Amino acid sequence: MSDIPTLLLVEDTASLQVVYRSVLEAAGYQVEIAPDAARGLVAFRKLNPAAVLLDIMLPDRDGLSLMSEMLEERPETRVVVITSNGSINKAVEAMRAGAQDFLVKPFDEARFLATVRNALRADPDAGAPPAQGGPTMARPSPTGFRGLLGSSPAIRQVEDRIRSVARSMASVFITGESGTGKELCAQAIHDLSPRARGPFIVLNCGAIPSDTLESEVFGHIRGAFPGAVNDKAGAAVVADGGTLFLDQVCEMDLALQPKLLRFLQTSSVTPVGAARPRRVDVRIICATNRDPLDAVRRGTFREDLYYRLHVVPIRMPALRDRGDDVIEIAEAALARYTVEEGRRFTGLSDEVRALFRTLPWPGNARQVLNVIRNVAVLHDGDLVTSDMLPEDLMVAEIADPVPLPPPAPDAPTDVPDQLGHLLAGRTLAQIERLAVEAAIERHGGSLPRAARELGVAPSTLYRKREGWLSGE
Amino acid sequence: MTADMPPIQQAHDAGLPVFYDQPELCINRYNSLMRMVGPARGVDLLDQLAIDIQDARQRIGAAVTIPDWTVVRAQCHILIGVSGTVGAERLQRIAEIVNRTACEQTDGAEIRVLMPDLLQQLDRLAAFIADRRSELPYE
């Protein structure tokens, strides 16, 4: 019997069948393709595939109902549903009904393969329907966010760069603000490289104490120092045949940098306490959220090491420079956390979408995930609305208030007199309402923008408006 | 396909998202795709792309006339996958917008504003595919 996993792909678009088959077969899988639900079910029963990749929209039947039938017959089946932008709620529905994971079209090769790989690795009992029937809260796979979500030109350029460099052995130096996906980028390079079947080892140079960093990178032999009770293979050895990702590389202790340089020059490591070096075959990718040249100038990073590592640079764009990607990332996060937290969310309100497009997102994609997670934990509903968003998100926006528009050319110049006339005889509450409603009107009905101008949280304006409407 | 950008004043005036920041075709993505599938499957892929694009164009054009938003959504689902995979980014973005709007099942005014651009991008992609196919041998 063959050990090669057989995958069943149920996809009706012929050109996509060619592409997916090419990707999967190149990765070593056997692929059976069914162009519709009826033939998909026949193939499923005949092959008992290791996993099913199932398009949600099929010509003869809803993909979710097909999935339900498959899971009823074989609850241990691992199903990855394939949807498209605009159908995130379907993905949520699928996860609740027992899907292992979901992919959003169009997806790139690295994301596709990572999702398949993780679906096959997953616990076969994850997502099994309960004994009494009913919807299943499948535990969502962590792979939903491993891909670089986004369709903006900025992130497309990064994807192109990843594809260009993946097949080379050249060192890659990734820079970018915190939360921009540097590790995802490194993982994608590895997954598309000829080393994809080898290990991908991550070493956070900033998180490991400097006195143990050498041992972590190069390993040690028993007795090399107090506490070294066994031999230990360092990250460089564990990554043999694969990729070593050095995160926060500019934080590496200066004393260790010459040894790293020697390792890069000779492809050999000498564990702490060892007499002889050992050759390893490792591809290096490194990353930092600092300016590496500034670190060189300040003398905290060796110049020769910098030039040795900085062969192929990749700059991860900040989320604020990626157009509508923030919406795509937020929707994917919402789909995942909705299932995880047992909520009913189907999407973001138009107001939240508009707001997200204006925020600076200093924490980038990671900040978006945190915000959406916060919403899913603390709230429930059909759409995510502005009043559900964390207060500190709004405070960050208010810190940069929108200046008032200039007065109309024919506006009266004696402003104090005109204002006094307007306010005379009104209570403070009425004056407040006038000011708020005028701000909302100035911003075309947008409460978040009006709140920004007035220096308050949008939730404050929502509460006030609800109070006015209810006649308080 | 080229990088020229005809105006989309109608969509802009209607307050619809402007997608002309997306290139018509990301040639790197297309080339990477063809390298990945290889020469033999590449011929098959181009033939299938031509069929899928033509089929989607006919179905979506007819569906908007009726209107049948279920068919519009189904065809956009296909177009998002096909265009995105090939690198036709502007077509992909238009299809995503139409897909989302069709989900809301409005009176169709917004979708009709986008249709000329959608169909134009489909035609241009079809012409590009035909052009690339003509460079390869026919069996």
Side-chain angles (χ1 to χ4, degrees):
Chain A
M1 179 184 293
S2 167
D3 287 336
I4 301 172
T6 297
L7 306 175
L8 172 61
L9 170 64
V10 187
E11 165 64 62
D12 62 318
T13 307
S15 53
L16 294 180
Q17 291 172 7
V18 175
V19 175
Y20 300 160
R21 182 192 286 282
S22 299
V23 171
L24 293 170
E25 287 182 351
Y29 299 108
Q30 286 182 341
V31 185
E32 186 72 27
I33 294 181
D36 54 51
R39 280 177 272 191
L41 196 56
V42 168
F44 172 74
R45 286 168 177 156
K46 178 180 150 198
L47 296 168
N48 191 15
V52 178
L53 312 174
L54 173 61
D55 195 316
I56 262 180
M57 280 209 175
L58 296 170
D60 56 340
R61 189 178 172 184
D62 175 44
L64 293 190
S65 79
L66 173 62
M67 183 185 79
S68 298
E69 193 168 342
M70 287 176 172
L71 289 174
E72 206 170 310
E73 289 188 18
R74 286 186 206 133
E76 70 278 12
T77 304
R78 299 160 209 191
V79 180
V80 175
V81 295
I82 302 172
T83 181
S84 62
N85 268 331
S87 305
I88 298 295
N89 56 331
K90 279 283 194 178
V92 172
E93 213 180 312
M95 298 292 285
R96 284 206 174 107
Q100 193 70 37
D101 206 338
F102 67 90
L103 282 162
V104 180
K105 285 180 181 176
F107 39 84
D108 64 24
E109 198 182 324
R111 193 182 314 162
F112 187 31
L113 291 175
T115 304
V116 169
R117 202 160 41 235
N118 284 287
L120 290 173
R121 254 192 239 140
D123 180 351
D125 288 332
Q132 299 305 317
T136 303
M137 289 297 212
R139 187 182 316 124
S141 149
T143 63
F145 302 147
R146 295 189 65 186
L148 288 164
L149 287 170
S151 312
S152 63
I155 205 63
R156 290 286 190 219
Q157 278 180 13
V158 171
E159 290 174 10
D160 285 344
R161 197 68 182 261
I162 289 171
R163 284 190 202 95
S164 299
V165 308
R167 302 207 178 270
S168 156
M169 260 296 281
S171 298
V172 180
F173 203 114
I174 305 170
T175 56
E177 292 177 8
S178 178
T180 50
K182 294 188 289 297
E183 185 171 336
L184 288 176
C185 176
Q187 179 78 62
I189 293 170
H190 171 78
D191 288 344
L192 284 172
S193 74
R195 299 169 168 270
R197 291 186 191 226
F200 177 75
I201 303 299
V202 179
L203 197 70
N204 187 333
C205 302
I208 300 170
S210 55
D211 55 351
T212 58
L213 190 54
E214 183 177 359
S215 172
E216 288 294 325
V217 178
F218 302 120
H220 64 249
I221 60 170
R222 190 171 68 158
F225 49 81
V229 296
N230 291 305
D231 289 353
K232 175 188 162 84
V237 171
V238 175
D240 193 11
T243 304
L244 176 61
F245 175 51
L246 300 171
D247 198 7
Q248 303 301 342
V249 68
C250 288
E251 311 300 319
M252 184 176 283
D253 192 89
L254 254 178
L256 190 60
Q257 291 178 26
K259 296 182 180 177
L260 178 64
L261 180 60
R262 188 167 188 77
F263 161 56
L264 295 171
Q265 289 167 334
T266 63
S267 297
S268 62
V269 299
T270 306
V272 178
R276 291 180 188 170
R278 168 190 162 164
R279 286 196 72 85
V280 291
D281 173 26
V282 173
R283 197 255 181 99
I284 299 290
I285 301 175
C286 55
T288 181
N289 58 5
R290 295 171 177 247
D291 177 354
L293 275 175
D294 184 59
V296 169
R297 277 192 289 272
R298 286 185 288 105
T300 58
F301 199 70
R302 289 176 64 112
E303 187 178 25
D304 49 2
L305 179 59
Y306 167 78
Y307 285 111
R308 185 80 174 136
L309 290 170
H310 201 264
V311 178
V312 179
I314 294 181
R315 173 85 191 161
M316 297 301 293
L319 190 58
R320 59 187 166 276
D321 299 330
R322 289 173 54 182
D324 261 18
D325 285 356
V326 62
I327 306 300
E328 218 174 302
I329 293 167
E331 284 187 334
L334 184 65
R336 186 132 341 260
Y337 293 135
T338 293
V339 173
E340 207 169 287
E341 303 296 334
R343 301 307 192 197
R344 292 177 286 122
F345 290 114
T346 60
L348 309 172
S349 65
D350 286 343
E351 212 148 32
V352 166
R353 285 166 180 270
L355 175 65
F356 276 15
R357 288 186 182 104
T358 66
L359 292 176
W361 298 107
N364 296 286
R366 190 180 297 131
Q367 185 183 9
V368 175
L369 301 186
N370 288 344
V371 166
I372 298 297
R373 187 78 190 256
N374 179 286
V375 168
V377 166
L378 298 177
H379 301 281
D380 198 5
D382 180 37
L383 295 177
V384 174
T385 52
S386 298
D387 57 320
M388 296 176 182
L389 299 176
E391 288 278 340
D392 55 0
L393 185 70
M394 301 301 128
V395 169
E397 196 201 15
I398 288 163
D400 183 21
V402 174
L404 283 174
D410 59 351
T413 53
D414 54 341
V415 172
D417 283 350
Q418 195 244 0
L419 187 60
H421 177 73
L422 179 68
L423 301 179
R426 296 184 190 275
T427 64
L428 187 61
Q430 288 172 332
I431 292 170
E432 182 187 66
R433 183 168 177 173
L434 268 177
V436 169
E437 289 178 343
I440 293 172
E441 191 176 328
R442 266 198 302 281
H443 290 285
S446 168
L447 260 71
R449 288 185 184 270
R452 193 172 160 193
E453 179 193 305
L454 294 170
V456 298
S459 55
T460 302
L461 294 194
Y462 277 109
R463 280 195 298 276
K464 288 185 185 296
R465 195 168 70 165
E466 276 172 23
W468 296 329
L469 290 173
S470 65
E472 283 177 7
Chain B
M1 299 181 93
T2 66
D4 62 308
M5 296 183 179
I8 187 163
Q9 195 58 44
Q10 265 188 311
H12 190 267
D13 288 346
L16 294 173
V18 176
F19 38 77
Y20 277 84
D21 61 334
Q22 302 290 335
E24 279 197 320
L25 183 75
C26 174
I27 196 65
N28 283 346
R29 194 173 177 94
Y30 172 80
N31 289 339
S32 176
L33 172 69
M34 298 310 286
R35 269 197 304 271
M36 189 267 299
V37 299
R41 276 213 178 118
V43 170
D44 187 25
L45 175 59
L46 290 177
D47 287 339
Q48 292 298 338
L49 278 169
I51 295 169
D52 288 339
I53 292 166
Q54 179 65 14
D55 195 43
R57 195 197 191 290
Q58 280 173 349
R59 287 176 192 258
I60 208 167
V64 170
T65 310
I66 298 171
D68 186 338
W69 302 130
T70 305
V71 171
V72 170
R73 280 187 61 197
Q75 294 308 307
C76 283
H77 178 85
I78 291 170
L79 285 179
I80 290 167
V82 169
S83 59
T85 299
V86 166
E89 296 181 358
R90 196 180 299 171
L91 174 58
Q92 178 195 336
R93 181 51 61 92
I94 301 174
E96 287 171 355
I97 296 169
V98 172
N99 186 35
R100 186 170 283 137
T101 310
C103 286
E104 294 159 10
Q105 298 199 359
T106 63
D107 61 9
E110 294 159 5
I111 294 178
R112 289 190 183 92
V113 166
L114 290 164
M115 282 312 293
D117 287 279
L118 179 71
L119 295 176
Q120 184 200 46
Q121 289 299 305
L122 274 168
D123 290 341
R124 289 171 74 78
L125 180 59
F128 173 80
I129 296 297
D131 187 54
R132 289 299 168 113
R133 180 64 180 94
S134 68
E135 295 169 2
L136 300 174
Y138 283 84
E139 291 174 5

